[in-house]
Amino acid sequence: MRSGSLLALENVTLGYTSAPVVRGLDLTVAEGEVVALLGPNGAGKTTTVRAVSRLLELMSGTIRFEGTDLARQSPVQVARAGLVQMSDTRSVFRGLTVEEHFRLRYRGQKVDRDIAFEYFPALKDLSLQRAGLLSGGEQQMLGVGRALARRPRLLVVDELSLGLAPVIVKRLLPILRRFADDTGAGVLLIEQHVQMALAIADRGYVLVHGEVALAGDAAVLQSDRRLLMASYLGEVGAEQAATAATPTTKEQ
């Protein structure tokens, strides 16, 4: 793992009312690292994201962002500290033009449209188009571009691919890899397209029934599809999971 931990979840248990949805989760994201959080529907991925953004209280455990315990931080304070979440709703306003999206301040924060245009040059040509008239892929570009324009220290992306054709997803995901490499920001990626996500990630976690079934180097997870599929089905034993979690030597 790269040096400089941005996000650290330690023995985190989460849920709604008295029913735990996620149990004993340990997860880290380092500077310049892309980490994929994978798993079937209902595994607890979005619940985890809500807790990281302080939209859901912990039942137990600790979440730290750049060393600060988030327990007493509000969602606004977390966002201002540089943790930016992009939800599966694409975060666009259908009645506004592309240009108007970049004039909006997010909770008092200015956004830098030049950053968005650097990573998505096509947005510049669409500046006068209303978001509601854009294709799904263009709307997602706008949503991601606006998130990048806020200069996040940690970008949390929940289901980037939702409602998009795989060919569009394949174009968008490498932008997250490039942004992490260029800026040193961390990226926590929640994604259903497993192989595409692992192709750009440094490490991956597979969450099943609220617990980590598999974790390790993304290249190792990607190369063993049978083990990955078994983890989704809840058939991975402790010995197999430990073997997969052993990192390979990589040039950083």
Side-chain angles (χ1 to χ4, degrees):
M1 186 177 70
R2 304 180 189 212
S3 62
S5 178
L6 286 173
L7 180 70
L9 280 68
E10 301 170 1
N11 197 28
V12 166
T13 295
L14 304 164
Y16 305 92
T17 62
S18 61
V21 174
V22 175
R23 296 172 292 278
L25 176 61
D26 293 316
L27 180 150
T28 60
V29 182
E31 294 178 347
E33 186 177 42
V34 178
V35 173
L37 180 58
L38 310 169
N41 290 332
K45 305 185 298 299
T46 296
T47 298
T48 300
V49 168
R50 286 175 55 80
V52 168
S53 298
R54 293 297 294 130
L55 299 174
L56 180 67
E57 294 292 335
L58 305 186
M59 287 182 165
S60 63
T62 305
I63 299 179
R64 290 186 173 87
F65 177 51
E66 293 199 293
T68 299
D69 189 341
L70 297 185
R72 296 185 178 180
Q73 302 289 308
S74 70
V76 172
Q77 289 173 316
V78 170
R80 286 178 176 168
L83 195 158
V84 174
Q85 179 186 346
M86 183 181 174
S87 71
D88 57 9
T89 59
R90 298 180 185 166
S91 305
V92 300
F93 302 93
R94 298 180 65 84
L96 297 182
T97 66
V98 169
E99 174 65 29
E100 287 168 339
H101 276 78
F102 294 110
R103 293 179 191 165
L104 294 175
R105 290 174 178 264
Y106 184 87
R107 292 174 175 169
Q109 296 175 306
K110 288 186 67 175
V111 296
D112 187 344
R113 68 175 187 177
D114 291 338
I115 294 176
F117 291 164
E118 176 186 350
Y119 288 95
F120 297 106
L123 288 177
K124 194 169 186 178
D125 297 329
L126 296 169
S127 291
L128 300 180
Q129 285 271 26
R130 294 193 182 278
L133 299 178
L134 302 178
S135 69
E138 290 167 342
Q139 288 181 0
Q140 198 67 292
M141 277 196 301
L142 176 57
V144 175
R146 192 161 182 267
L148 301 186
R150 290 170 55 194
R151 299 178 181 272
R153 290 288 294 129
L154 175 68
L155 178 62
V156 180
V157 183
D158 190 3
E159 300 290 7
L160 177 75
S161 65
L162 195 66
L164 297 179
V167 65
I168 302 298
V169 180
K170 198 170 184 178
R171 293 175 191 165
L172 290 175
L173 286 177
I175 299 296
L176 303 180
R177 173 78 268 170
R178 181 183 156 201
F179 181 77
D181 291 339
D182 289 349
T183 67
V187 176
L188 178 60
L189 174 65
I190 292 81
E191 184 52 60
Q192 289 290 333
H193 286 273
V194 174
Q195 293 297 325
M196 289 186 192
L198 291 174
I200 67 153
D202 296 287
R203 293 183 299 114
Y205 295 79
V206 179
L207 204 59
V208 179
H209 302 309
E211 297 180 350
V212 174
L214 196 63
D217 186 279
V220 174
L221 298 180
Q222 189 178 27
S223 66
D224 195 337
R225 296 193 180 196
R226 189 169 67 174
L227 180 60
L228 194 60
M229 182 59 67
S231 72
Y232 266 66
L233 298 175
E235 297 173 355
V236 173
E239 185 177 341
Q240 287 176 295
T243 301
T246 303
T248 58
T249 302
K250 293 177 65 177
E251 181 180 350
Q252 300 294 347

